[in-house]
Coordinates of all heavy atoms in Angstrom, one line a residue:
M1 N 10.7 7.5 -1.8 CA 9.9 6.6 -1.2 C 8.4 7.1 -1.4 O 8.2 8.3 -1.3 CB 10.1 6.6 0.4 CG 9.1 5.8 1.2 SD 9.6 5.4 2.8 CE 10.7 4.2 2.6
L2 N 7.5 6.2 -1.5 CA 6.1 6.6 -1.7 C 5.3 6.7 -0.4 O 5.7 5.9 0.5 CB 5.4 5.5 -2.7 CG 5.8 5.3 -3.9 CD1 5.1 4.2 -4.7 CD2 5.7 6.6 -4.8
K3 N 4.4 7.6 -0.2 CA 3.7 7.8 1.0 C 2.4 8.3 0.6 O 2.1 8.9 -0.4 CB 4.5 8.7 2.0 CG 4.6 10.2 1.5 CD 5.2 11.0 2.6 CE 4.1 11.5 3.6 NZ 4.1 12.7 4.3
I4 N 1.4 8.1 1.6 CA 0.1 8.7 1.6 C 0.2 10.2 1.8 O 0.8 10.6 2.9 CB -0.8 7.9 2.5 CG1 -0.9 6.4 2.2 CG2 -2.3 8.7 2.4 CD1 -1.4 6.1 0.9
K5 N -0.5 11.1 1.1 CA -0.4 12.4 1.3 C -0.9 12.7 2.8 O -1.8 12.1 3.3 CB -1.2 13.2 0.3 CG -0.7 13.2 -1.1 CD -1.6 13.9 -2.0 CE -0.9 13.9 -3.5 NZ -1.8 14.6 -4.5
D6 N -0.4 13.8 3.3 CA -0.6 14.2 4.7 C -2.2 14.6 4.9 O -2.7 14.6 5.9 CB 0.2 15.4 5.1 CG 1.6 14.9 5.3 OD1 1.8 13.7 5.6 OD2 2.6 15.7 5.3
N7 N -2.8 15.2 3.8 CA -4.1 15.7 3.8 C -5.2 14.6 3.7 O -6.4 14.9 3.7 CB -4.4 16.8 2.9 CG -4.3 16.3 1.5 OD1 -3.8 15.3 1.0 ND2 -4.9 17.1 0.5
I8 N -4.8 13.3 3.6 CA -5.6 12.2 3.4 C -5.8 11.5 4.6 O -4.9 11.1 5.4 CB -5.2 11.2 2.3 CG1 -4.8 11.9 0.9 CG2 -6.0 10.0 2.1 CD1 -6.1 12.3 0.2
D9 N -7.1 11.2 4.9 CA -7.4 10.4 6.2 C -7.2 9.0 5.9 O -7.7 8.4 5.0 CB -9.0 10.6 6.6 CG -9.3 9.9 7.9 OD1 -8.4 9.2 8.5 OD2 -10.4 10.0 8.3
L10 N -6.3 8.3 6.7 CA -5.9 7.0 6.4 C -7.1 6.0 6.4 O -7.1 4.9 5.7 CB -4.9 6.4 7.3 CG -3.4 7.1 7.2 CD1 -2.5 6.6 8.2 CD2 -2.9 6.9 5.8
K11 N -8.2 6.4 7.1 CA -9.3 5.5 7.2 C -10.0 5.4 5.6 O -10.8 4.5 5.5 CB -10.4 6.1 8.1 CG -9.9 6.0 9.6 CD -10.8 6.5 10.6 CE -10.4 6.4 11.9 NZ -11.2 7.2 12.9
Q12 N -9.7 6.4 4.9 CA -10.2 6.2 3.5 C -9.8 5.0 2.7 O -10.3 4.5 1.9 CB -9.7 7.5 2.7 CG -10.6 8.7 2.9 CD -10.1 9.9 2.1 OE1 -9.3 10.6 2.6 NE2 -10.6 10.0 0.8
L13 N -8.5 4.4 3.2 CA -7.9 3.3 2.7 C -9.0 2.1 2.6 O -8.9 1.2 1.9 CB -6.6 2.9 3.2 CG -5.6 3.9 3.0 CD1 -4.3 3.6 3.7 CD2 -5.2 4.0 1.5
K14 N -9.8 2.0 3.6 CA -10.7 0.9 3.9 C -11.7 0.9 2.6 O -12.0 -0.1 2.1 CB -11.5 1.1 5.2 CG -10.6 0.8 6.3 CD -11.4 0.9 7.6 CE -10.6 0.7 8.9 NZ -11.4 0.8 10.1
D15 N -12.0 2.0 2.1 CA -12.9 2.2 0.9 C -12.2 1.6 -0.3 O -12.9 1.3 -1.2 CB -13.4 3.6 0.7 CG -14.3 4.2 1.8 OD1 -14.8 3.5 2.6 OD2 -14.2 5.4 2.1
L16 N -11.0 1.5 -0.3 CA -10.2 1.1 -1.4 C -9.7 -0.4 -1.2 O -8.9 -0.9 -2.0 CB -9.0 1.9 -1.7 CG -9.4 3.4 -2.1 CD1 -8.1 4.3 -1.9 CD2 -9.9 3.4 -3.4
G17 N -10.2 -1.1 -0.3 CA -10.0 -2.5 -0.1 C -8.9 -2.9 1.0 O -8.6 -4.0 1.1
F18 N -8.3 -1.8 1.6 CA -7.4 -2.1 2.7 C -8.0 -2.4 4.0 O -9.2 -2.1 4.2 CB -6.5 -0.7 2.9 CG -5.5 -0.5 1.9 CD1 -5.8 0.0 0.6 CD2 -4.2 -0.8 2.1 CE1 -4.9 0.2 -0.3 CE2 -3.2 -0.6 1.1 CZ -3.6 0.0 -0.1
K19 N -7.4 -3.2 4.7 CA -7.8 -3.6 6.1 C -6.8 -3.0 7.2 O -5.6 -2.8 6.9 CB -7.9 -5.0 6.3 CG -8.7 -5.7 5.4 CD -8.7 -7.2 5.5 CE -9.6 -7.9 4.3 NZ -9.5 -9.3 4.3
Q20 N -7.3 -2.7 8.4 CA -6.4 -2.2 9.4 C -5.9 -3.3 10.4 O -6.7 -4.0 10.7 CB -7.1 -1.1 10.3 CG -6.2 -0.3 11.1 CD -6.8 0.8 11.8 OE1 -8.0 0.9 11.8 NE2 -6.1 1.7 12.4
A21 N -4.5 -3.3 10.5 CA -4.0 -4.2 11.4 C -4.0 -3.7 12.8 O -4.2 -2.5 13.0 CB -2.6 -4.5 10.9
G22 N -3.7 -4.6 13.8 CA -3.8 -4.2 15.1 C -2.6 -3.1 15.5 O -2.8 -2.4 16.5
N23 N -1.6 -3.0 14.7 CA -0.5 -2.2 15.0 C -0.7 -0.8 14.5 O 0.2 0.0 14.3 CB 0.8 -2.8 14.6 CG 0.9 -3.0 13.1 OD1 0.0 -2.7 12.4 ND2 2.0 -3.6 12.7
G24 N -1.9 -0.4 13.8 CA -2.1 0.8 13.2 C -1.8 0.9 11.7 O -2.1 1.8 11.1
E25 N -1.1 -0.2 11.2 CA -0.9 -0.2 9.8 C -2.1 -0.7 9.0 O -3.0 -1.2 9.5 CB 0.2 -1.3 9.4 CG 1.7 -0.9 9.8 CD 2.6 -1.9 9.4 OE1 2.2 -3.1 9.3 OE2 3.8 -1.4 9.1
Y26 N -2.2 -0.2 7.8 CA -3.1 -0.7 6.7 C -2.5 -1.6 5.9 O -1.4 -1.5 5.5 CB -3.8 0.5 6.0 CG -4.8 1.2 6.9 CD1 -4.3 2.3 7.8 CD2 -6.2 0.9 6.9 CE1 -5.2 3.0 8.6 CE2 -7.0 1.7 7.7 CZ -6.5 2.7 8.6 OH -7.5 3.4 9.4
F27 N -3.3 -2.6 5.4 CA -2.6 -3.6 4.3 C -3.6 -3.9 3.3 O -4.8 -4.0 3.5 CB -2.1 -4.7 5.1 CG -3.1 -5.7 5.7 CD1 -3.6 -6.8 5.0 CD2 -3.6 -5.4 7.1 CE1 -4.5 -7.6 5.7 CE2 -4.5 -6.2 7.6 CZ -5.1 -7.4 7.0
Y28 N -3.2 -4.3 2.1 CA -3.9 -4.8 1.1 C -3.2 -6.0 0.6 O -2.1 -6.1 0.3 CB -4.0 -3.8 -0.1 CG -4.8 -4.2 -1.3 CD1 -6.2 -4.3 -1.3 CD2 -4.1 -4.8 -2.4 CE1 -7.0 -4.6 -2.4 CE2 -4.8 -5.2 -3.4 CZ -6.2 -5.2 -3.4 OH -6.9 -5.7 -4.5
E29 N -4.1 -7.1 0.4 CA -3.7 -8.3 -0.2 C -4.8 -9.0 -0.9 O -5.9 -8.8 -0.8 CB -3.1 -9.3 0.9 CG -4.2 -9.7 1.9 CD -3.7 -10.7 3.0 OE1 -2.6 -11.2 2.9 OE2 -4.3 -10.7 4.0
T30 N -4.4 -9.8 -1.9 CA -5.3 -10.6 -2.6 C -5.2 -12.0 -2.2 O -4.2 -12.5 -1.6 CB -5.1 -10.5 -4.1 OG1 -3.8 -11.0 -4.5 CG2 -5.2 -9.0 -4.6
A31 N -6.3 -12.7 -2.5 CA -6.3 -14.2 -2.0 C -5.2 -15.1 -2.8 O -4.7 -16.1 -2.2 CB -7.7 -14.8 -2.3
T32 N -4.7 -14.7 -4.0 CA -3.8 -15.4 -4.7 C -2.4 -14.9 -4.5 O -1.5 -15.5 -5.2 CB -4.2 -15.5 -6.1 OG1 -4.3 -14.1 -6.7 CG2 -5.6 -16.0 -6.3
S33 N -2.1 -13.8 -3.9 CA -0.7 -13.2 -3.9 C 0.0 -13.6 -2.7 O -0.5 -14.0 -1.6 CB -0.8 -11.7 -4.1 OG -1.3 -11.2 -2.9
L34 N 1.4 -13.7 -2.8 CA 2.3 -13.9 -1.7 C 2.7 -12.6 -1.1 O 3.6 -12.5 -0.2 CB 3.4 -14.8 -2.1 CG 3.0 -16.1 -2.5 CD1 4.2 -16.9 -2.9 CD2 2.3 -16.9 -1.1
E35 N 2.3 -11.5 -1.7 CA 2.7 -10.2 -1.3 C 1.6 -9.3 -0.7 O 0.4 -9.6 -1.0 CB 3.4 -9.4 -2.4 CG 4.6 -9.9 -3.0 CD 4.3 -10.9 -4.2 OE1 3.2 -10.8 -4.6 OE2 5.1 -11.7 -4.6
C36 N 2.0 -8.3 0.2 CA 0.8 -7.4 0.7 C 1.5 -5.9 0.5 O 2.7 -5.7 0.6 CB 0.7 -7.5 2.2 SG 0.0 -9.2 2.6
I37 N 0.6 -5.0 0.2 CA 0.9 -3.6 0.3 C 0.7 -3.1 1.7 O -0.5 -3.3 2.2 CB 0.1 -2.8 -0.7 CG1 0.5 -3.2 -2.1 CG2 0.5 -1.3 -0.6 CD1 -0.5 -2.6 -3.1
F38 N 1.5 -2.5 2.4 CA 1.4 -2.0 3.8 C 1.5 -0.5 3.7 O 2.3 0.1 3.0 CB 2.4 -2.6 4.7 CG 2.2 -4.0 5.2 CD1 2.7 -4.9 4.3 CD2 1.4 -4.3 6.2 CE1 2.5 -6.2 4.8 CE2 1.2 -5.6 6.6 CZ 1.7 -6.7 5.9
V39 N 0.7 0.3 4.4 CA 0.8 1.6 4.7 C 1.0 1.7 6.3 O 0.2 1.4 7.1 CB -0.6 2.4 4.4 CG1 -0.3 3.9 4.7 CG2 -0.8 2.2 2.8
Q40 N 2.3 2.3 6.7 CA 2.6 2.5 8.0 C 1.9 3.7 8.7 O 1.5 4.6 7.9 CB 4.1 2.6 8.1 CG 4.9 1.5 7.6 CD 6.4 1.8 7.6 OE1 6.8 2.9 7.3 NE2 7.2 0.8 8.0
P41 N 1.8 3.7 9.9 CA 1.2 4.9 10.6 C 1.8 6.2 10.2 O 1.2 7.3 10.2 CB 1.4 4.6 12.1 CG 1.4 3.1 12.2 CD 2.1 2.6 10.9
N42 N 3.1 6.2 9.8 CA 3.9 7.3 9.4 C 3.5 7.6 7.8 O 4.2 8.6 7.3 CB 5.4 7.3 9.7 CG 6.1 6.3 8.9 OD1 5.5 5.6 8.0 ND2 7.4 6.1 9.1
R43 N 2.6 6.9 7.2 CA 2.1 7.0 6.0 C 3.0 6.4 4.9 O 2.7 6.7 3.7 CB 1.8 8.4 5.7 CG 0.7 9.0 6.6 CD 0.5 10.5 6.4 NE -0.6 10.9 7.1 CZ -1.9 10.8 6.7 NH1 -2.2 10.4 5.5 NH2 -3.0 11.2 7.5
H44 N 4.2 6.0 5.2 CA 5.1 5.4 4.2 C 4.5 4.0 3.7 O 3.9 3.3 4.4 CB 6.5 5.1 4.7 CG 7.3 6.3 5.0 ND1 8.0 6.6 6.0 CD2 7.2 7.6 4.2 CE1 8.4 7.8 6.0 NE2 8.0 8.4 4.9
I45 N 4.7 3.7 2.4 CA 4.1 2.5 1.8 C 5.3 1.6 1.5 O 6.4 1.9 1.1 CB 3.5 3.0 0.4 CG1 2.3 3.9 0.6 CG2 3.0 1.7 -0.3 CD1 1.8 4.6 -0.5
Y46 N 5.1 0.3 1.8 CA 6.1 -0.7 1.4 C 5.3 -2.0 1.1 O 4.2 -2.2 1.4 CB 7.0 -1.0 2.6 CG 6.5 -1.7 3.7 CD1 6.6 -3.1 4.0 CD2 5.9 -1.0 4.8 CE1 6.2 -3.7 5.1 CE2 5.4 -1.5 6.0 CZ 5.5 -3.0 6.0 OH 5.0 -3.5 7.2
I47 N 6.0 -2.8 0.3 CA 5.5 -4.1 -0.1 C 6.3 -5.3 0.5 O 7.5 -5.2 0.7 CB 5.5 -4.3 -1.6 CG1 4.6 -3.2 -2.3 CG2 5.1 -5.8 -2.0 CD1 4.6 -3.1 -3.8
E48 N 5.6 -6.1 1.1 CA 6.3 -7.3 1.9 C 5.8 -8.6 1.3 O 4.6 -8.8 0.8 CB 5.8 -7.2 3.3 CG 6.5 -8.1 4.2 CD 6.1 -8.0 5.7 OE1 6.4 -7.1 6.3 OE2 5.3 -8.9 6.1
T49 N 6.7 -9.4 1.2 CA 6.4 -10.9 0.6 C 6.3 -11.8 1.7 O 7.1 -11.8 2.7 CB 7.5 -11.2 -0.4 OG1 7.2 -12.5 -1.0 CG2 9.0 -11.3 0.2
K50 N 5.5 -12.7 1.5 CA 5.3 -13.9 2.5 C 6.1 -15.2 2.2 O 6.1 -16.1 2.9 CB 3.8 -14.3 2.5 CG 3.0 -13.2 3.0 CD 1.5 -13.7 3.0 CE 0.4 -12.5 3.4 NZ -0.9 -13.1 3.2
G51 N 6.7 -15.1 0.9 CA 7.4 -16.3 0.6 C 8.8 -15.9 0.1 O 9.1 -14.8 -0.2
M52 N 9.8 -17.0 0.0 CA 11.0 -16.8 -0.4 C 11.1 -17.3 -1.8 O 11.1 -18.6 -2.0 CB 12.1 -17.5 0.4 CG 12.1 -16.9 1.9 SD 12.7 -15.1 2.0 CE 14.3 -15.4 1.6
Y53 N 11.0 -16.4 -2.9 CA 11.1 -16.9 -4.2 C 11.6 -15.7 -5.1 O 11.6 -14.6 -4.6 CB 9.7 -17.4 -4.7 CG 8.8 -16.3 -4.7 CD1 8.4 -15.6 -5.8 CD2 8.0 -16.0 -3.6 CE1 7.6 -14.5 -5.9 CE2 7.0 -14.9 -3.5 CZ 6.8 -14.1 -4.8 OH 6.0 -13.1 -4.7
Y54 N 12.0 -16.0 -6.2 CA 12.3 -15.0 -7.2 C 11.2 -14.8 -8.2 O 10.8 -15.7 -8.7 CB 13.7 -15.3 -7.9 CG 14.7 -15.5 -6.9 CD1 15.1 -16.7 -6.6 CD2 15.4 -14.5 -6.4 CE1 16.3 -16.9 -5.6 CE2 16.4 -14.6 -5.6 CZ 16.9 -15.8 -5.2 OH 17.9 -15.9 -4.3
G55 N 10.9 -13.6 -8.4 CA 9.9 -13.2 -9.3 C 9.4 -11.8 -9.1 O 9.7 -11.0 -8.3
A56 N 8.5 -11.4 -10.0 CA 7.8 -10.1 -10.0 C 6.7 -10.0 -9.0 O 6.1 -10.9 -8.6 CB 7.3 -9.8 -11.4
I57 N 6.5 -8.7 -8.6 CA 5.4 -8.5 -7.7 C 4.1 -8.8 -8.4 O 4.0 -8.4 -9.5 CB 5.4 -7.1 -7.3 CG1 6.6 -6.8 -6.4 CG2 4.2 -6.5 -6.4 CD1 7.0 -5.3 -6.1
V58 N 3.1 -9.3 -7.9 CA 1.9 -9.8 -8.4 C 1.1 -8.5 -9.1 O 1.1 -7.4 -8.4 CB 0.9 -10.4 -7.4 CG1 -0.4 -10.7 -7.9 CG2 1.6 -11.7 -6.9
E59 N 0.8 -8.6 -10.2 CA 0.1 -7.5 -11.0 C -1.1 -6.8 -10.1 O -1.2 -5.7 -10.3 CB -0.4 -8.0 -12.2 CG 0.7 -8.2 -13.3 CD 0.1 -8.6 -14.6 OE1 -1.0 -9.0 -14.7 OE2 0.9 -8.6 -15.6
D60 N -1.8 -7.6 -9.4 CA -3.0 -7.1 -8.6 C -2.5 -5.9 -7.8 O -3.0 -4.9 -7.6 CB -3.6 -8.1 -7.8 CG -4.3 -9.2 -8.6 OD1 -4.6 -8.8 -9.9 OD2 -4.6 -10.2 -8.1
L61 N -1.2 -6.2 -7.1 CA -0.8 -5.1 -6.3 C -0.2 -3.9 -6.9 O -0.4 -2.7 -6.5 CB 0.4 -5.7 -5.3 CG -0.1 -6.9 -4.5 CD1 1.2 -7.4 -3.6 CD2 -1.2 -6.4 -3.6
L62 N 0.4 -4.1 -8.1 CA 0.7 -2.9 -8.9 C -0.5 -2.2 -9.4 O -0.4 -0.9 -9.5 CB 1.6 -3.5 -10.1 CG 3.0 -4.0 -9.7 CD1 3.6 -4.5 -11.0 CD2 3.9 -2.9 -9.0
Y63 N -1.5 -2.9 -9.8 CA -2.7 -2.2 -10.1 C -3.4 -1.4 -9.0 O -3.8 -0.3 -9.3 CB -3.8 -3.2 -10.7 CG -3.5 -3.8 -11.9 CD1 -3.8 -5.1 -12.2 CD2 -2.8 -3.1 -13.0 CE1 -3.5 -5.8 -13.5 CE2 -2.5 -3.8 -14.2 CZ -2.9 -5.1 -14.4 OH -2.6 -5.6 -15.6
K64 N -3.2 -1.9 -7.9 CA -3.8 -1.3 -6.7 C -3.0 0.0 -6.4 O -3.4 1.2 -6.1 CB -3.7 -2.1 -5.4 CG -4.3 -1.4 -4.1 CD -5.8 -0.8 -4.3 CE -6.7 -1.8 -4.4 NZ -8.2 -1.3 -4.6
L65 N -1.6 0.0 -6.4 CA -0.7 1.2 -6.4 C -1.1 2.2 -7.4 O -1.2 3.4 -7.2 CB 0.7 0.7 -6.5 CG 1.4 0.3 -5.2 CD1 2.7 0.0 -5.6 CD2 1.3 1.3 -4.1
F66 N -1.4 1.7 -8.7 CA -1.7 2.6 -9.8 C -3.0 3.4 -9.4 O -3.2 4.5 -9.7 CB -1.8 1.9 -11.1 CG -2.1 2.7 -12.4 CD1 -1.2 3.5 -12.7 CD2 -3.4 2.7 -12.8 CE1 -1.4 4.4 -13.8 CE2 -3.7 3.6 -13.9 CZ -2.7 4.4 -14.4
D67 N -4.0 2.5 -8.9 CA -5.3 3.2 -8.4 C -5.1 4.3 -7.4 O -5.8 5.3 -7.6 CB -6.3 2.0 -7.8 CG -6.8 1.2 -8.9 OD1 -6.6 1.4 -10.2 OD2 -7.2 0.0 -8.6
L68 N -4.2 4.0 -6.5 CA -4.0 5.1 -5.4 C -3.4 6.3 -6.0 O -3.6 7.4 -5.7 CB -3.1 4.5 -4.3 CG -3.6 3.4 -3.4 CD1 -2.5 2.7 -2.6 CD2 -4.8 3.7 -2.6
I69 N -2.5 6.1 -7.1 CA -1.8 7.2 -7.8 C -2.9 8.0 -8.5 O -3.0 9.2 -8.4 CB -0.7 6.7 -8.7 CG1 0.4 6.3 -7.7 CG2 -0.2 7.8 -9.5 CD1 1.5 5.4 -8.5
Q70 N -3.8 7.3 -9.2 CA -4.7 8.0 -10.0 C -5.7 8.7 -9.1 O -6.3 9.8 -9.4 CB -5.5 7.1 -10.8 CG -4.8 6.7 -12.1 CD -5.7 6.0 -13.0 OE1 -6.4 5.1 -12.7 NE2 -5.6 6.5 -14.3
E71 N -6.0 8.3 -7.9 CA -7.0 9.0 -7.0 C -6.2 10.2 -6.3 O -7.0 10.9 -5.7 CB -7.4 7.9 -5.9 CG -8.3 6.8 -6.4 CD -9.6 7.2 -6.4 OE1 -10.1 8.2 -5.8 OE2 -10.3 6.7 -7.2
G72 N -5.0 10.3 -6.6 CA -4.3 11.4 -6.0 C -4.0 11.3 -4.5 O -3.7 12.2 -3.8
I73 N -3.9 10.0 -4.0 CA -3.6 9.8 -2.6 C -2.2 9.7 -2.3 O -1.7 9.8 -1.2 CB -4.3 8.5 -2.3 CG1 -5.9 8.7 -2.3 CG2 -4.0 7.9 -0.9 CD1 -6.7 7.5 -2.1
I74 N -1.3 9.2 -3.2 CA 0.0 8.9 -3.0 C 0.9 10.1 -3.6 O 0.6 10.7 -4.5 CB 0.5 7.6 -3.9 CG1 -0.2 6.5 -3.2 CG2 2.0 7.5 -3.9 CD1 0.2 5.2 -3.8
E75 N 2.1 10.2 -2.8 CA 3.0 11.3 -3.4 C 4.4 10.6 -3.1 O 4.5 9.8 -2.3 CB 2.9 12.6 -2.6 CG 3.3 12.5 -1.1 CD 3.1 13.9 -0.3 OE1 2.7 14.9 -1.0 OE2 3.3 14.0 0.8
K76 N 5.4 11.2 -3.8 CA 6.8 10.8 -3.7 C 7.5 11.6 -2.7 O 7.4 12.8 -2.8 CB 7.4 10.8 -5.1 CG 8.9 10.4 -5.0 CD 9.4 10.5 -6.5 CE 10.9 10.9 -6.3 NZ 11.4 11.1 -7.7
E77 N 8.0 11.0 -1.8 CA 8.7 11.8 -0.7 C 10.2 11.7 -1.0 O 10.8 10.8 -1.2 CB 8.5 11.2 0.7 CG 9.1 12.0 1.8 CD 8.8 11.4 3.2 OE1 9.1 10.2 3.4 OE2 8.3 12.2 3.9
D78 N 10.7 12.9 -1.2 CA 12.2 13.1 -1.4 C 12.9 13.3 0.0 O 12.4 13.9 0.9 CB 12.5 14.3 -2.3 CG 11.8 14.2 -3.7 OD1 11.9 13.1 -4.2 OD2 11.3 15.1 -4.2
F79 N 14.1 12.6 0.0 CA 14.9 12.7 1.2 C 16.1 13.7 1.1 O 16.7 13.8 0.2 CB 15.4 11.2 1.5 CG 14.4 10.4 2.1 CD1 13.9 9.3 1.2 CD2 13.9 10.5 3.2 CE1 12.8 8.5 1.7 CE2 12.8 9.6 3.8 CZ 12.3 8.7 3.0

């Protein structure tokens, strides 16, 4: 599972285009996508779709994940 590193302040996500939801999660979405990237308060990352369809995740969201990886913000959590 992907997660935000423990030494990163989640508020930094706002500088990367994320918004904070009322439940403490952060999310990133584009105007044209049916998917959102969510960061839970426990720092785990997931992608949620708003529609029922078959297809690939929108490239914009994959690019955002890549940006987070390049910034050194994400780590892979082993169970």
